[in-house]
């Protein structure tokens, strides 16, 4: 054996030992072809769709914070969704934050390489850059509305200038200016539709809707009206009443439908991978943990607060109620079409023991996939449901809000009525006052959009978060909306509008300050 080893050692050429990893392309060798840029664009989306951001964590950190959900506490997994999270205690903000910057860094690199390499031109260049500008705006929109004063990073830091690695906090105005500029660029470059192999990528309509939403949050009613109005001319439409539930289906033939303005793309996978930024693993939808009922959730689940159901009942809205809330009504079903009271018996018992109504989420809980609860793994990775970021119904309601706030109340009401007509409920009269329409929009957004991630942001921008989630709130049949988590689970004005910037970032960057209240 010794002689063989010696012979082998001296027969080896040193160059044979210096081999490169064929799966790792050095940066100077990349961005040389159109295909390189297309691959880079695909990689740009990865951090946002992966489990550490939209794949799961943003739901515990933002979506479940609203008053719709009375979350059953489960260790650190629920400290943000119950408004108890503090720096260094809850891990979720730490996971959310870097994913946004990873995606932004990849978008920055695509934009910069296009400017220096002269590889792209014409429609291909517009498609590549349009997506990069849209994605950078998308990430900055969530940085602004989740973290508020985070750094604004619009270029790759220069290794020769160390100061660029330690950015300071940006103001909301700086963020909004950058978001609007990027979305304007995207609007001018993105196509209105894509070919079959690229369905689901952002379109001109996606960029217009997000820019309109940005203007709406800024209370720039005129520009919001202009953007939303243009979206209404681009061929989107509401699905028929009987197909409202298609908006939350994992069936690929029902996803990316005429009502979808922008949705994140996911595929079903047999194997679950936690948090990896590797091929395909970013396309798992894992929020099933958070939206499924207690007897299915890997955490403890939650119940829907009864004041949410009451809005449906007051409006006679059966279609959207039955597709939004799983509860005991005539003909109600559970997983796989089983009778609700039988399939949900364990969760009903949990609710009864907690002293709260047995009302559970239906959207994005995997209830309409034709599978029993035993056939759906806890992480939900075999479902592959796309998350609908912006639907046409949302655009119509935002347009109505902008018109009403701009003094055009009679013009706003027909757009609300389009949404109500699809739900087969009574239309609003044209004689309503501005204040009455404001309340009608608040209620309509509950019925149309509960369970889709908009409510908490709405409460904050309407300055209603303290009224409904604050310490004095008793909207849930005399209880606080977060009553299951105890007296500390309340909204604190001047703090809980935003999440905290991770302590690791504060400690590593002397130019960075923590958000107020933390």
């Amino acid at each position: 054996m010794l002689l063989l080893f010696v012979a082998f050692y001296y027969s080896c050429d040193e160059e044979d030992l210096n081999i490169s990893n064929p799966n790792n392309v050095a940066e100077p060798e990349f961005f040389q072809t159109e295909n390189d840029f297309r691959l880079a664009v695909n990689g740009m989306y990865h951090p946002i769709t992966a489990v550490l951001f939209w794949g799961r964590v943003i739901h515990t950190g933002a979506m479940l914070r609203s008053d719709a959900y009375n979350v059953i506490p489960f260790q650190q997994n629920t400290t943000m969704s119950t408004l108890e999270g503090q720096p260094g205690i809850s891990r979720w903000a730490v996971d959310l934050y870097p994913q946004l910057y990873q995606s932004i860094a990849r978008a920055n690199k695509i934009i910069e390489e296009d400017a220096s390499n002269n590889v792209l031109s014409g429609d291909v260049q517009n498609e590549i850059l349009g997506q990069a500008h849209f994605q950078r705006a998308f990430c900055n929109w969530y940085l602004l509305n989740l973290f508020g004063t985070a750094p604004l990073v619009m270029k790759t830091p220069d290794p020769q200038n160390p100061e660029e690695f330690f950015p300071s906090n940006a103001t909301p105005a700086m963020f909004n200016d950058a978001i609007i500029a990027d979305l304007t660029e995207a609007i001018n470059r993105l196509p209105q539709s894509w070919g079959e192999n690229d369905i689901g990528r952002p379109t001109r309509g996606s960029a217009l809707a997000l820019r309109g939403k940005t203007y709406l949050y800024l209370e720039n009613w005129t520009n919001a009206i202009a953007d939303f109005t243009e979206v209404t001319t681009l061929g989107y439409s509401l699905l028929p009443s009987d197909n409202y539930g298609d908006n939350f289906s994992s069936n690929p033939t029902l996803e990316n439908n005429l009502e979808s303005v922008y949705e994140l793309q996911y595929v079903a996978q047999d194997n679950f991978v936690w948090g990896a930024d590797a091929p395909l693993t970013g396309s798992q939808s894992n929020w099933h943990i958070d939206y499924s009922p207690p007897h299915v959730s890997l955490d403890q689940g939650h119940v829907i607060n009864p004041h949410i159901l009451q809005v449906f009942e007051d409006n006679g809205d059966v279609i959207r109620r039955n597709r939004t809330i799983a509860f005991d009504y005539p003909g109600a079903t559970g997983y796989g079409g089983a009778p609700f009271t039988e399939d949900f018996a364990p969760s009903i018992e949990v609710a009864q023991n907690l002293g709260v109504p047995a009302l559970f989420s239906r959207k994005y809980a995997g209830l309409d996939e034709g599978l029993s609860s035993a056939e759906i793994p806890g992480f939900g990775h075999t479902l592959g449901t796309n998350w609908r970021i912006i639907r046409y119904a949302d655009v119509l309601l935002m347009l109505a809000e902008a018109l009403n706030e701009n003094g055009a109340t009679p013009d706003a009401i027909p757009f609300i009525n389009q949404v109500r007509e699809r739900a087969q409920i009574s239309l609003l009269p044209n004689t309503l006052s501005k204040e009455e329409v404001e309340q009608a929009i608040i209620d309509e957004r509950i019925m149309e959009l509960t369970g889709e991630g908009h409510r908490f942001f709405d409460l904050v921008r309407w300055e209603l978060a303290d009224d409904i989630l604050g310490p004095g709130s008793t909207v849930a049949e005399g209880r606080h909306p977060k009553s299951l988590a105890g007296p500390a689970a309340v909204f604190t004005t001047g703090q809980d509008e935003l999440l905290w910037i991770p302590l690791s970032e504060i400690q590593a960057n002397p130019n960075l300050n923590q958000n107020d209240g933390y």
Side-chain angles (χ1 to χ4, degrees):
M1 290 294 294
L2 180 61
L3 290 172
L4 285 172
F5 172 77
V6 171
F8 175 76
Y9 179 84
Y10 283 103
S11 67
C12 287
D13 191 317
E14 190 171 324
E15 292 184 2
D16 293 337
L17 302 177
N18 296 324
I19 60 175
S20 61
N21 180 356
N23 298 308
N24 184 24
V25 181
E27 187 174 300
E29 300 171 12
F30 203 67
F31 293 106
Q32 302 302 310
T33 67
E34 174 188 321
N35 190 56
D36 288 348
F37 278 90
R38 292 192 183 279
L39 291 172
V41 166
N42 292 344
M44 173 187 72
Y45 293 115
H46 242 244
I48 299 306
T49 57
V51 64
L52 294 181
F53 198 77
W54 213 283
R56 184 190 178 194
V57 173
I58 193 174
H59 305 279
T60 67
M63 313 311 187
L64 293 174
R65 301 177 95 200
S66 88
D67 60 313
Y69 307 101
N70 202 343
V71 178
I72 303 170
F74 185 69
Q75 303 168 2
Q76 291 188 21
N77 284 13
T78 59
T79 53
M80 282 210 295
S81 58
T82 55
L83 300 167
E84 297 175 289
Q86 293 291 330
I89 297 176
S90 176
R91 68 194 193 196
W92 295 130
V94 178
D95 290 331
L96 282 171
Y97 191 88
Q99 311 310 312
L100 289 161
Y101 284 109
Q102 283 184 35
S103 189
I104 288 170
R106 296 176 187 186
N108 286 342
K109 193 65 178 175
I110 292 167
I111 294 168
E112 292 161 2
E113 290 292 340
D114 172 74
S116 61
N117 286 9
N118 297 316
V119 172
L120 306 176
S121 62
D123 290 342
V124 171
Q125 184 181 45
N126 284 332
E127 291 173 0
I128 297 295
L129 292 184
Q131 290 180 81
H133 283 285
F134 177 89
Q135 183 68 2
R136 188 166 67 179
F138 182 89
C139 293
N140 278 326
W141 195 95
Y142 280 96
L143 272 173
L144 171 62
N145 287 282
L146 288 173
F147 296 98
T149 65
L152 180 65
V153 181
M154 299 295 286
K155 64 184 290 290
T156 301
D158 180 2
Q160 304 303 317
N161 186 359
E163 283 300 310
E164 293 188 9
F165 289 91
F166 301 95
S168 58
N169 303 72
T171 65
M174 293 165 64
F175 265 107
N176 281 308
D177 286 347
I179 292 165
I180 290 169
D182 267 338
L183 289 173
T184 301
E185 190 74 19
I187 289 165
N188 292 332
R189 290 183 180 275
L190 286 172
Q192 180 44 41
S193 62
W194 292 87
E196 183 177 350
N197 292 333
D198 291 301
I199 289 175
R201 296 183 187 275
T203 63
R204 184 168 180 272
S206 308
L208 276 166
L210 186 56
R211 191 176 71 174
K213 187 173 183 176
T214 304
Y215 283 132
L216 183 78
Y217 278 40
L218 286 170
E219 300 185 356
N220 185 332
W221 313 124
T222 300
N223 284 339
I225 291 167
D227 280 352
F228 293 140
T229 299
E230 187 168 353
V231 175
T232 66
T233 69
L234 299 179
Y236 300 105
S237 64
L238 300 177
L239 296 181
S241 302
D242 291 344
N243 299 100
Y244 172 73
D246 291 354
N247 287 309
F248 321 106
S249 172
S250 65
N251 185 334
T253 66
L254 303 177
E255 295 175 324
N256 301 299
N257 57 50
L258 288 174
E259 192 166 335
S260 175
V261 180
Y262 186 54
E263 62 188 72
L264 294 182
Q265 309 296 303
Y266 288 92
V267 295
Q269 294 188 58
D270 293 332
N271 298 316
F272 170 72
V273 180
W274 176 263
D277 185 19
L280 290 180
T281 58
S283 56
Q284 296 180 128
S285 53
N286 305 124
W287 52 77
H288 175 265
I289 307 170
D290 302 294
Y291 295 95
S292 57
H295 77 283
V296 177
S297 176
L298 292 180
D299 288 359
Q300 296 296 316
H302 64 264
V303 294
I304 297 291
N305 279 309
H307 68 286
I308 299 296
L309 174 61
Q310 193 60 49
V311 176
F312 290 94
E313 305 291 21
D314 291 345
N315 285 271
D317 188 343
V318 174
I319 289 175
R320 293 182 293 186
R321 180 199 71 179
N322 294 355
R323 307 300 292 191
T324 303
I325 306 176
F327 71 109
D328 186 14
Y329 60 85
T333 58
Y335 285 92
F340 174 81
T341 53
E342 294 178 15
D343 188 50
F344 271 64
S347 287
I348 293 171
E349 183 178 0
V350 168
Q352 289 173 341
N353 291 338
L354 292 171
V356 293
L359 308 172
F360 308 100
S361 291
R362 192 169 196 97
K363 291 178 182 176
Y364 295 115
L367 276 163
D368 300 311
E369 308 308 320
L371 302 172
S372 70
S373 55
E375 294 176 294
I376 301 177
F379 286 110
H381 53 278
T382 61
L383 297 181
T385 314
N386 287 358
W387 191 278
R388 282 66 166 179
I389 300 292
I390 302 177
R391 291 193 290 114
Y392 187 55
D394 185 15
V395 170
L396 293 175
L397 294 177
M398 290 191 290
L399 174 55
E401 181 179 346
L403 285 165
N404 188 53
E405 295 298 331
N406 204 42
T409 298
D411 296 330
I413 294 172
F415 292 106
I416 306 172
N417 281 339
Q418 283 189 49
V419 180
R420 292 177 69 87
E421 183 176 20
R422 192 263 295 276
Q424 297 183 3
I425 59 178
S426 61
L427 303 184
L428 302 177
N430 291 327
T431 56
L432 294 182
S433 67
K434 179 176 180 289
E435 290 72 22
E436 290 171 326
V437 170
E438 285 178 357
Q439 186 59 53
I441 291 171
I442 292 172
D443 291 345
E444 201 63 38
R445 290 184 69 82
I446 288 175
M447 293 183 286
E448 182 66 33
L449 300 169
T450 288
E452 299 181 50
H454 304 286
R455 176 70 171 173
F456 184 79
F457 294 133
D458 283 346
L459 292 178
V460 169
R461 68 188 180 88
W462 290 332
E463 297 184 351
L464 294 176
D466 183 67
D467 296 338
I468 295 176
L469 285 165
S473 177
T474 55
V475 297
E477 292 188 349
R479 293 183 299 273
H480 188 274
K482 301 293 184 184
S483 61
L484 297 179
V490 296
F491 181 89
T492 301
T493 301
Q495 171 184 292
D496 286 326
E497 293 88 349
L498 302 170
L499 302 177
W500 59 92
I501 296 173
L503 287 180
S504 57
E505 298 291 330
I506 301 291
Q507 293 165 351
N509 183 354
N511 297 325
L512 195 57
N513 297 314
Q514 185 58 274
N515 283 330
D516 292 340
Y518 294 110

